[in-house]
Amino acid sequence: SASVILAPSLLSCDFARLGEELAGLEAAGLSWAHVDVMDGQFVPNISFGLPILAAARRASHLYMDVHLMIEQPERYLADFAAAGADGLTVQVESTRHIHRAVGLIRELGKRAGVTLNPGTPLEMIRPVLADVDLVLVMSVNPGFGGQQFIPASLERVRTLRRWLDELGSSADLQVDGGVTPANAPDLVRAGATHLVAGSAVFAPGAAAGVQAFRDALEV
Ligand code: DX5
Ligand code: ZN
């Protein structure tokens, strides 16, 4: 359906050509970029941080969908907002105060997202579901691109779709990790409105990667 938003994960792009890669995403007709920030503490990898986000902000008009895979994200929400984030998504496992973190993001005037790892019960985010603009279902264990989609994630998407509908929430329902043109239709049928894809977009190159999703989703 035309309403599906594909957010390419910059983690899989060629950082020696970040500006060109962002221009390629815009040329492919995309409107979002997924910005995977990793601190080597919350996840066993270090990706990039504030300077890269600021550079991406200067280089493109894409919506900066920032995924914070960092410990105690409250410490840096204002900095990421100032560096150009449009949306800030925090991992429920990364803070003792998820309700407060969501409130802080809203106070910064940004869209608030919450996400959880494949091993975390969905109930953990239920108390803040009514307060967020985006819910992200991790369909891989965070830290790396190019991993296999975890099949149990599909049922989690369905459950969250039901919970959001019961709330009358218009929050984005996003899926991230191992998303490909092959599983994208099932995810959309399960109720996802936003898909993150890193390797599936950048491995074939943005134009071909995006087209493969368009063909699969008939958008
Ligand atoms: C993993 C990141 C994902 C990842 C997606 O920790 O949050 O956004 O980059 O990459 P693929 O689509 O290759 O699984
Ligand atoms: Zn991500």
Side-chain angles (χ1 to χ4, degrees):
S1 64
S3 65
V4 177
I5 297 274
L6 177 65
S9 164
L10 299 185
L11 186 67
S12 298
C13 83
D14 175 359
F15 277 94
R17 300 186 304 108
L18 178 58
E20 293 163 52
E21 294 272 57
L22 290 165
L25 298 180
E26 294 190 47
L30 296 182
S31 54
W32 282 40
H34 183 76
V35 184
D36 281 318
V37 179
M38 300 175 183
D39 66 356
Q41 294 294 317
F42 182 74
V43 291
N45 194 8
I46 297 175
S47 58
F48 49 78
L50 295 162
I52 294 291
L53 172 60
R57 177 74 291 160
R58 287 196 304 276
S60 87
H61 304 291
L62 294 167
Y63 176 97
M64 294 295 157
D65 169 39
V66 178
H67 177 191
L68 294 174
M69 288 161 278
I70 66 175
E71 287 296 339
Q72 298 164 327
E74 304 92 314
R75 296 171 296 154
Y76 294 104
L77 294 173
D79 292 334
F80 277 99
D86 292 297
L88 286 164
T89 299
V90 295
Q91 298 264 172
V92 68
E93 308 90 349
S94 66
T95 171
R96 285 190 176 78
H97 305 290
I98 188 65
H99 182 275
R100 180 170 172 274
V102 167
L104 283 172
I105 297 169
R106 282 286 183 76
E107 282 169 31
L108 289 163
K110 303 303 175 184
R111 295 181 80 242
V114 62
T115 183
L116 68 182
N117 293 332
T120 303
L122 294 180
E123 283 293 337
M124 284 286 281
I125 60 169
R126 201 161 192 179
V128 294
L129 219 44
D131 306 319
V132 298
D133 304 294
L134 180 145
V135 178
L136 169 55
V137 177
M138 288 306 294
S139 40
V140 295
N141 292 298
F144 303 91
Q147 300 181 90
Q148 289 301 309
F149 178 86
I150 296 171
S153 311
L154 199 56
E155 191 53 36
R156 286 161 67 90
V157 173
R158 291 193 190 99
T159 302
L160 282 166
R161 176 75 277 149
R162 196 166 59 248
W163 289 0
L164 288 170
D165 290 351
E166 284 163 5
L167 284 170
S169 164
S170 58
D172 305 337
L173 181 49
Q174 187 180 49
V175 187
D176 182 10
V179 174
T180 67
N183 59 32
D186 286 342
L187 289 168
V188 172
R189 264 192 292 275
T193 59
H194 291 60
L195 301 177
V196 176
S199 47
V201 168
F202 288 106
V210 171
Q211 192 53 51
F213 275 99
R214 288 221 163 89
D215 295 345
L217 295 169
E218 290 131 27
V219 291

